[in-house]
Amino acid sequence: MASTEMDLDPPTSAASPPPTTNKNTPSASSAPETRTSTGAIAVRSIEGWIVLATNVHEEASEEDLQELFGDFGEIKNLHMPLDRRTGYVKGYALVEFPTQREAKAAIEGANGKKLLDQTISVDYAFVRPPPKKGEGNTGKGRGGGGGGAKGKRERTRSPEAKEE
């Protein structure tokens, strides 16, 4: 039977101060966030850290990827979507690692490597994009446009029936 315990990443610093509720300081810990190559913040999935490998050769097998990514840590799950019509790999694979340290090592070690004569690109699968310039925490990022008369615009009219 599979274990139902969740693997936890160790704390980034042993002597981190308790979080404060001061409005002038960020509520998140001051530990450096893990970033992708594009600057987005890497996010852990429910079960582990998932890494996306793109430009995977269509004839690559699970054993090829197990061999490549197994050097960086324990692989919890490996998913290679296949094309229904041809049966070949669609060109990407998802590799799940239990800890962030192993996922980061896999990204740094496998990104740009050759797999069956194709150079693969590796990065985190789940990310939170960085805030756009000029957008702080204004609270305008989610939700509908609201209602009421403020900002109300006229509705477009349906074309009237032609009288003959």
Side-chain angles (χ1 to χ4, degrees):
M1 185 169 189
S3 172
T4 57
E5 283 190 36
M6 182 184 296
D7 296 326
L8 298 176
D9 291 327
T12 53
S13 65
S16 62
T20 60
T21 56
N22 187 350
K23 291 182 181 179
N24 296 331
T25 59
S27 61
S29 65
S30 61
E33 297 167 327
T34 303
R35 301 251 176 195
T36 65
S37 59
T38 58
I41 300 167
V43 181
R44 184 183 194 278
S45 75
I46 293 174
E47 295 189 14
W49 291 89
I50 298 181
V51 171
L52 174 69
T54 56
N55 199 29
V56 175
H57 194 278
E58 65 182 7
E59 294 180 359
S61 66
E62 283 193 23
E63 290 81 27
D64 294 331
L65 289 172
Q66 286 276 359
E67 184 179 313
L68 177 66
F69 287 102
D71 295 339
F72 306 110
E74 175 194 350
I75 297 174
K76 279 179 76 173
N77 193 6
L78 175 66
H79 184 68
M80 293 176 52
L82 301 177
D83 186 278
R84 288 182 184 171
R85 187 175 53 85
T86 64
Y88 289 119
V89 177
K90 283 190 172 184
Y92 68 95
L94 298 163
V95 185
E96 183 178 344
F97 292 96
T99 64
Q100 182 182 15
R101 182 179 296 125
E102 292 170 337
K104 189 171 186 173
I107 291 169
E108 291 171 354
N111 192 26
K113 277 200 172 182
K114 292 252 185 202
L115 179 67
L116 299 178
D117 295 330
Q118 280 188 218
T119 305
I120 61 170
S121 298
V122 183
D123 212 343
Y124 289 102
F126 295 108
V127 295
R128 182 180 307 125
K132 295 178 184 169
K133 278 192 171 184
E135 281 187 19
N137 189 7
T138 59
K140 294 181 181 179
R142 294 188 178 253
K150 182 180 176 187
K152 189 172 183 177
R153 64 177 202 206
E154 280 190 43
R155 297 180 64 180
T156 56
R157 302 253 181 223
S158 301
E160 294 180 13
K162 294 180 183 177
E163 293 181 24
E164 295 181 31

